[in-house]
Amino acid sequence: MSELQELIRHGEGERLEFKKKTTHPTRIARTLASLANTHGGRVLVGVDDDGRIVGVRDAEEEMYVLRLAAEQYIDPPIPLNFKEVEEEGRTVLIVTVRESTHKPHRAQVAEGDWRGYVRVRDESVQTSGLTEKVMERQQPQQFEKLPLNRHELAVLDYLRKHPRITLAQYMRLGNLGKRRAYQTLIKLTLHGYIRHHDKEKEPYYTL
C-alpha cells in the first residue's frame, strides 16, 4: 500500500484534510492555520471528501494558491512542504503543515477580518480570545500539566467520546453548580487540556 493510500485509508481527522482542489486562498487558509495552531498535519489536494482520488489539473497552480494562502492570508505566515505523488494515473499534492511555535495564527476571512482556528476532529473551528491567549504563552507540548481531580477528568473523558461540551452539559454531567463548573472548565483551558470556543450562541469546549 502506498503512502497516499495509507493516508486515505485512515480518513480525515485532526491531522488530515482532503481537498478536491484549492479554489481561493481564504478558504484553504483556515485549514492551514488550524493545523499549525493544533498538532500540524497534512492536506491531500486532489482527493475528494469520500477519499476518491480525482487528481489535480495543474500542481503548480495549486501550490501557488497554497503558498499565497500561507504567506499572505495567514498571520504570522506559515511554511509549507509539498510532495507530488502519482496514483491511478492522477497527480495528488501532499501538503505538510508543521505544528507552529509561533501561535496563534489567524486566517483572513474577509478584508480586515482575521480569525483564529484550531482543528477539532476533522473540522477547522474558530477559537476564542481566551484560547488564543493560552496559545500565545505556550509552546507545543509545553503546557503545565496539573494533577486532575475526578470532576476534571470527567470533562476529558466526556470529550474523548463527544466533539464538544457546554457549561450546562458539564453542570449536569458533574452535578455541579454553575460557578464551580465554570471555574473547572476555565482551569482546564488555561492549562492547555481543553479549548474554549465563543463564536456561537452558546460557548463550548473541545479537546
Side-chain angles (χ1 to χ4, degrees), residues 15-29:
R15 300 182 188 222
L16 186 63
E17 175 96 355
F18 298 162
K19 288 288 183 187
K20 190 174 182 179
K21 61 181 179 178
T22 54
T23 54
H24 193 277
T26 55
R27 292 181 179 274
I28 193 64

Side-chain angles (χ1 to χ4, degrees), residues 5 7 34 68 81 108 125 162 171 178 193 197 204:
Q5 290 172 334
L7 288 170
S34 71
L68 188 64
N81 290 323
Q108 184 177 4
V125 178
H162 304 86
M171 288 168 62
K178 185 174 182 179
Y193 286 98
H197 306 267
Y204 62 94

Side-chain angles (χ1 to χ4, degrees), residues 40-164:
R42 292 169 174 168
V43 181
L44 305 184
V45 184
V47 177
D48 214 342
D49 289 340
D50 59 4
R52 186 167 49 91
I53 296 173
V54 295
V56 296
R57 289 185 178 181
D58 187 337
E60 287 297 327
E61 182 179 341
E62 297 289 344
M63 285 190 281
Y64 171 79
V65 174
L66 286 155
R67 287 194 187 98
L68 188 64
E71 295 171 6
Q72 297 187 28
Y73 288 79
I74 296 176
D75 183 39
I78 62 172
L80 302 177
N81 290 323
F82 299 101
K83 182 179 180 180
E84 290 182 51
V85 296
E86 295 292 327
E87 194 79 36
E88 300 174 5
R90 297 180 173 90
T91 301
V92 173
L93 200 58
I94 301 178
V95 186
T96 301
V97 182
R98 296 188 181 278
E99 180 177 0
S100 177
T101 58
H102 303 287
K103 303 174 185 177
H105 295 270
R106 298 178 178 89
Q108 184 177 4
V109 297
E111 186 67 33
D113 187 358
W114 296 79
R115 303 181 187 182
Y117 291 85
V118 293
R119 290 292 284 186
V120 179
R121 299 196 177 188
D122 61 351
E123 296 182 345
S124 298
V125 178
Q126 190 176 348
T127 189
S128 70
L130 175 61
T131 295
E132 288 187 10
K133 283 184 172 62
V134 173
M135 287 193 284
E136 281 176 359
R137 63 182 177 83
Q138 299 284 8
Q139 297 300 315
Q141 309 303 324
Q142 296 298 312
F143 291 111
E144 180 188 355
K145 297 301 185 183
L146 302 177
L148 301 180
N149 61 38
R150 63 184 180 88
H151 291 297
E152 294 159 350
L153 289 170
V155 177
L156 303 184
D157 185 56
Y158 181 91
L159 285 173
R160 290 186 188 102
K161 301 171 184 175
H162 304 86
R164 62 171 68 182

